[in-house]
Amino acid sequence: MADIIRLLPDHVANQIAAGEVVQRPSSVVKELMENAIDAGATDIQLIIKDGGKTLIQVVDNGKGMSGTDARLSFERHATSKIQKAEDLFNLNTKGFRGEALASIAAIAHVEMLTKTEDDEIGTKIKIEGSKIVTQEVVVAPKGTSMLVKNLFFNIPARRNFLKSDQVEYRHITDEFHRIALAHPHVAFNFYNNGGDVFQLPANDFRKRIVHIFGRKTDEKLVPVEEETQVVKISGYIQKPEFAKKSRGEQFFFANNRFIKSPYLHHAILGAFEGLIRPGTHPGYFLNLEVDPATIDINIHPTKTEVKFDDEHTLYAMLKSTVKHSLGQFNVVPALDFEQDQNLDTPYSYKNKQVGVPQVVVDSSFNPFETVKPSKSNAVGGGGNYTKPKVDGWENLYAGLETTVDSGVSHLEFESEVVNSSIFDDEKEVVDHSTTTFQMRKKYIITTIKSGMVVINQSRAHQRVLYENFLKNITIKEAISQQLLFPLTLSFSTSEINILKEIKENLCTVGFVFGEITENGVEISGVPVLVVESEVQMIMEQLISDFQQEVPGDSFSQSDMLAKTLAKTLSVKTGETLDEFSQVKLVNDLFACKETTLSPFNKKVYITITENDIERKFI
Ligand code: ADP
Ligand code: MG
C-alpha cells in the first residue's frame, strides 16, 4: 500500500490551531491586549466595530518589533518569551506559546504596523488567511498597532456560529475588564463603533475598580492584605450587604493574570458564610502573588485555569484572610464623614438597654377552632408581600373593616408577619365556597370532588404571575404605578448595556425609565406588583439572568423576563397566606392556561383522591 501520511500545510495547521485559540472576537482582544502588555506598553487602545466581527484594533506604545521580528511573529511557535523548557517555570509574561498571531492571521485579515524605539522607520505587514499580502517600510510611531478585520472570513461555519453583536461586545467587555483590572498602572481606552466606552488613566487598583464599576463601588470596598511565604494576597472584597444577585464582580488574579478557580472561590464563599442573603454572591477583586515556579498556567489553552502547587494552604489562607478583613470591617467601621445622619441611632435610644425579644404564646389558641378572619388579613395591601407588623397599624384602616366570613379554617400566630394579600384586585370574585388550608407555610391544600389537591404555593404563584406578565408583554398593556420620586439606581457599564437591551420589554411589563446615563438608571414607574424597595433587587436579578444566558430572539427575551419577574415576585415558601389569598391563589392557578407545571417545569400540585386515602385505612 502506498504511504498515506502527509504533513498538513502550514495554513491548515494554523487554522486548526486557531480553533483552539480563537473562539470568538473576545479571544482576539485578549491575545492582542496581552501581547501589548508583554511588550511593556503603558498606554493601550482597544477599538472595535460590530462586536469585533468587522474590526478589532489594539494600539500600544510598547517596545515594537524589527522588520524581521514582525514577519516572524506570525509563524507558529514563534515567540520571544521562552527559549527553553525551563523558562516555562519562570514565566512573567502572558504569552509564551507563540500561537496567537499565527492563529489570528489564519482566519482574518490582519494589518500590523510596528516600530521599535531604536529604528528610524517601521514595518507594515498585511496578511490574509496566513498569506502575506504586502510588507512595506513605513513611517510609524514607536509601538505596535494590530488591526484584525473580518474574523473567520474563510470559515463561514465559525462566522455563522458567532452570536449577535451585542453578545460578542459583552464578551469583549468582560475580557477588557479582566485585563484592565490586572494592570491598573497601564492606561486603557476602549472605543466601540466610534463611541468611547472607557477612558482609564493609569491608577492604583482601587481607583481602577471604581473607574470600571462606577463611583458607588468605592464605598463598598474593604481592603484585604496578607503576606506569607507562600502567597501575597491583596485587593478588595465588597461589604456583605452589597452582595448581588449576579456573579459579575468576582475576580481572582494570579501574578497579574485573570484566573478562574472554583476551588478558591469556594474559600471566599466560606468566609462570607452567614453574612450574605442566600442566593446572593459576594463581590471580590483579589490578587494572589506566588512564586511563578509554583503555579502552572499551562494546563488550559486559553489560560484562565491554573494549577497551584499547594492549593490547600492557599485555600485556608484566603479564607482566613478574607474573614479577618470582614471581621475588622465589622468591628471598626470606616470613618465616613458623609454618612447619612438619618441612619444613626436616634439620640434617645443611644443609652437604652437592649431587651430580649419576648415570645408571646396564645395559650387559648385552638387550631381546630374556626375563627373569623381578623381585619388585618382581610384587607388587601397594595401588593406588599411582606409587611412588617407595626403596633397599632390596624388603626390606620379604621372604618375600612370588611367582614369576610368564608368559613375557612385559618391559622395565624400573633408574632408572625402575615401577607395581608398577595393579590391586588380584591374585587375579583373569589369563590368563597372553596375551602383552603395552608400547611407548613409551603402548601395550600384544597378539596376537589374526587379528593384533595396539595399545591406548592410558590410554584403556583410563579405560574400565575408568569402567565400574567407574558400576557402583558404580548398585548403591551401593563399597568404601571408612578413613583412619587423617581429612583436612581446605579449599575456598572456592562450592566447598563444589558438594561438597554431589555429596556423595551421591561417597559411592556410596566417599568418606566427616565434618563439612562453611564452609571445610573432613573426609574419613574414600576409594575403594580413591584414594591419600590425591591426594584434594585429585581433589576439585579434580571441583569444577572440575562448575563448568564442571552436569549436570541425577542420571544425568548419576553419569556425570560416573565420568568424572572415571576420568580422574584412570587410568594415564597415560609410565607403565611391569609385565607383570602389562599383562595385567590387556588382560583387564579386553575384559571391559568397551564396549571400542572411552574414556568421552570416543576410540578405545581399533586392530587390525593378519596380512593388513595381509603386505601391507607385498610
Ligand atoms: P506569544 O505571545 O505566545 O509569544 P504571539 O503569537 O502572541 O505569541 O506573539 C508572537 C511574538 O510576537 C511575541 O513573542 C512577541 O515577541 C511579538 N509580539 C506580538 N505582539 C507584539 C506587540 N504588540 N508588541 C511587540 N511585540 C509583539
Ligand atoms: Mg501572545
Side-chain angles (χ1 to χ4, degrees):
M1 198 175 119
D3 298 336
I4 51 170
I5 297 182
R6 264 173 292 150
L7 274 179
L8 286 176
D10 264 0
H11 70 276
V12 179
N14 283 340
Q15 265 196 17
I16 295 171
E20 250 194 14
V21 181
V22 186
Q23 275 112 29
R24 52 181 1 136
S26 66
S27 336
V28 175
V29 168
K30 173 177 192 285
E31 294 297 338
L32 296 187
M33 287 182 63
E34 288 189 347
N35 279 348
I37 302 266
D38 283 346
T42 55
D43 194 318
I44 298 175
Q45 326 246 350
L46 168 66
I47 301 145
I48 63 159
K49 273 204 186 124
D50 308 323
K53 292 176 195 168
T54 323
L55 171 92
I56 298 169
Q57 185 178 16
V58 173
V59 185
D60 69 54
N61 65 350
K63 64 176 184 240
M65 280 173 270
S66 69
T68 323
D69 278 357
R71 186 155 191 153
L72 253 181
S73 69
F74 290 104
E75 295 291 323
R76 208 142 54 95
H77 307 306
T79 178
S80 56
K81 298 166 193 174
I82 55 170
Q83 288 174 358
K84 45 190 188 307
E86 293 88 88
D87 292 349
L88 274 177
F89 302 105
N90 195 22
L91 270 174
N92 286 312
T93 54
K94 312 276 149 215
F96 56 88
R97 293 164 163 260
E99 278 180 333
L101 292 190
S103 301
I104 296 168
I107 44 128
H109 296 158
V110 177
E111 269 178 55
M112 176 201 273
L113 186 66
T114 186
K115 189 184 92 71
T116 63
E117 175 99 80
D118 302 336
D119 288 335
E120 291 280 309
I121 39 169
T123 308
K124 184 172 172 181
I125 296 184
K126 257 187 168 179
I127 299 195
E128 295 181 356
S130 294
K131 280 196 265 318
I132 298 197
V133 181
T134 53
Q135 170 158 7
E136 21 178 354
V137 186
V138 290
V139 179
K142 179 203 157 202
T144 306
S145 152
M146 291 285 297
L147 199 109
V148 177
K149 288 193 290 193
N150 311 323
L151 196 66
F152 296 129
F153 78 98
N154 49 358
I155 317 180
R158 295 292 301 275
R159 195 169 169 89
N160 294 338
F161 181 73
L162 293 178
K163 295 272 170 58
S164 70
D165 290 0
Q166 279 157 337
V167 174
E168 295 302 340
Y169 168 69
R170 202 179 303 151
H171 284 287
I172 290 174
T173 315
D174 285 346
E175 208 57 71
F176 179 83
H177 284 166
R178 294 167 180 177
I179 294 174
L181 284 170
H183 301 279
H185 301 297
V186 175
F188 290 92
N189 294 298
F190 178 8
Y191 304 91
N192 175 37
N193 291 336
D196 55 347
V197 187
F198 285 109
Q199 306 289 332
L200 308 174
N203 238 319
D204 61 28
F205 191 40
R206 184 174 190 132
K207 292 216 180 75
R208 175 58 51 92
I209 297 172
V210 172
H211 267 133
I212 293 180
F213 293 103
R215 222 167 7 101
K216 284 244 170 102
T217 316
D218 200 31
E219 65 193 77
K220 303 181 187 171
L221 301 177
V222 183
V224 175
E225 202 79 65
E226 179 67 89
E227 191 165 356
T228 70
Q229 284 186 323
V230 187
V231 59
K232 179 169 176 235
I233 303 171
S234 65
Y236 299 90
I237 47 175
Q238 291 195 9
K239 294 177 189 169
E241 68 257 39
F242 296 108
K244 282 195 171 186
K245 289 274 182 186
S246 72
R247 299 183 51 168
E249 291 167 19
Q250 302 179 332
F251 295 88
F252 276 125
F253 301 95
N255 296 355
N256 296 327
R257 182 194 290 275
F258 171 79
I259 59 156
K260 281 185 186 148
S261 170
Y263 183 65
L264 296 183
H265 172 71
H266 192 261
I268 309 283
L269 292 187
F272 272 90
E273 201 176 302
L275 298 174
I276 55 175
R277 279 174 294 146
T280 59
H281 305 275
Y284 55 84
F285 308 87
L286 294 171
N287 298 305
L288 311 173
E289 266 174 68
V290 293
D291 177 354
T294 66
I295 172 175
D296 184 1
I297 45 178
N298 213 351
I299 58 170
H300 196 275
T302 48
K303 293 168 281 174
T304 48
E305 277 156 37
V306 298
K307 179 113 194 61
F308 294 96
D309 273 1
D310 194 355
E311 268 194 332
H312 294 310
T313 315
L314 214 53
Y315 182 101
M317 254 170 211
L318 201 55
K319 186 168 167 179
S320 72
T321 306
V322 171
K323 261 197 166 163
H324 181 73
S325 286
L326 282 169
Q328 256 187 341
F329 152 71
N330 279 340
V331 184
V332 218
L335 279 180
D336 185 354
F337 296 106
E338 280 162 10
Q339 193 188 336
D340 189 347
Q341 299 298 316
N342 298 327
L343 299 179
D344 278 345
T345 318
Y347 185 75
S348 54
Y349 281 86
K350 275 209 165 120
N351 300 320
K352 260 200 169 171
Q353 286 285 321
V354 179
V356 179
Q358 299 292 314
V359 178
V360 186
V361 180
D362 180 0
S363 53
S364 64
F365 170 72
N366 174 1
F368 301 102
E369 194 175 58
T370 307
V371 288
K372 257 190 170 189
S374 70
K375 59 182 176 286
S376 66
N377 46 52
V379 177
N384 287 359
Y385 299 125
T386 43
K387 209 171 262 164
K389 193 139 185 148
V390 181
D391 276 350
W393 73 278
E394 290 95 325
N395 298 342
L396 297 172
Y397 289 89
L400 279 178
E401 283 113 293
T402 38
T403 31
V404 181
D405 191 350
S406 51
V408 162
S409 68
H410 172 71
L411 306 181
E412 189 200 340
F413 296 91
E414 193 48 40
S415 57
E416 260 171 13
V417 176
V418 175
N419 291 303
S420 42
S421 174
I422 55 168
F423 303 98
D424 274 315
D425 195 359
E426 293 158 53
K427 280 165 252 101
E428 264 186 55
V429 196
V430 173
D431 179 3
H432 290 302
S433 60
T434 314
T435 309
T436 60
F437 176 77
Q438 188 182 24
M439 193 183 115
R440 304 197 73 82
K441 298 189 205 163
K442 184 170 185 186
Y443 302 106
I444 308 294
I445 298 173
T446 184
T447 50
I448 48 171
K449 242 195 191 154
S450 60
M452 64 192 225
V453 203
V454 183
I455 302 169
N456 180 311
Q457 64 186 42
S458 176
R459 292 178 189 177
H461 198 206
Q462 279 179 3
R463 167 52 64 184
V464 172
L465 291 177
Y466 170 73
E467 292 203 0
N468 246 326
F469 279 120
L470 210 54
K471 194 173 81 201
N472 284 343
I473 297 173
T474 333
I475 60 174
K476 302 191 193 310
E477 250 181 30
I479 311 160
S480 155
Q481 44 175 341
Q482 204 66 22
L483 298 175
L484 204 50
F485 302 103
L487 284 173
T488 305
L489 307 179
S490 73
F491 292 104
S492 68
T493 322
S494 47
E495 287 172 332
I496 299 261
N497 284 327
I498 295 180
L499 264 186
K500 282 186 187 157
E501 273 176 53
I502 56 176
K503 182 180 155 205
E504 213 177 295
N505 261 333
L506 285 174
C507 293
T508 61
V509 288
F511 284 100
V512 182
F513 290 91
E515 218 188 345
I516 300 189
T517 63
E518 234 171 73
N519 332 290
V521 174
E522 201 182 83
I523 293 175
S524 54
V526 295
V528 265
L529 286 175
V530 173
V531 191
E532 192 172 329
S533 60
E534 287 176 345
V535 177
Q536 174 97 32
M537 191 266 288
I538 291 168
M539 287 289 168
E540 279 177 15
Q541 182 72 55
L542 281 168
I543 291 171
S544 151
D545 284 354
F546 275 84
Q547 239 164 6
Q548 271 150 37
E549 188 196 318
V550 193
D553 52 68
S554 97
F555 169 75
S556 6
Q557 204 185 80
S558 316
D559 185 62
M560 186 151 164
L561 181 64
K563 276 187 184 152
T564 301
L565 286 172
K567 180 174 64 187
T568 328
L569 296 174
S570 62
V571 179
K572 307 286 181 304
T573 297
E575 293 186 36
T576 308
L577 299 182
D578 64 46
E579 76 285 4
F580 178 87
S581 304
Q582 295 174 21
V583 173
K584 182 89 167 64
L585 182 56
V586 172
N587 290 342
D588 283 355
L589 173 68
F590 290 107
C592 281
K593 287 202 186 101
E594 156 72 60
T595 56
T596 51
L597 292 175
S598 81
F600 303 95
N601 277 333
K602 297 263 171 56
K603 209 181 261 183
V604 173
Y605 62 85
I606 52 157
T607 43
I608 302 172
T609 62
E610 209 183 330
N611 267 344
D612 294 336
I613 299 170
E614 270 167 10
R615 245 176 288 152
K616 297 244 179 238
F617 282 101
I618 299 175

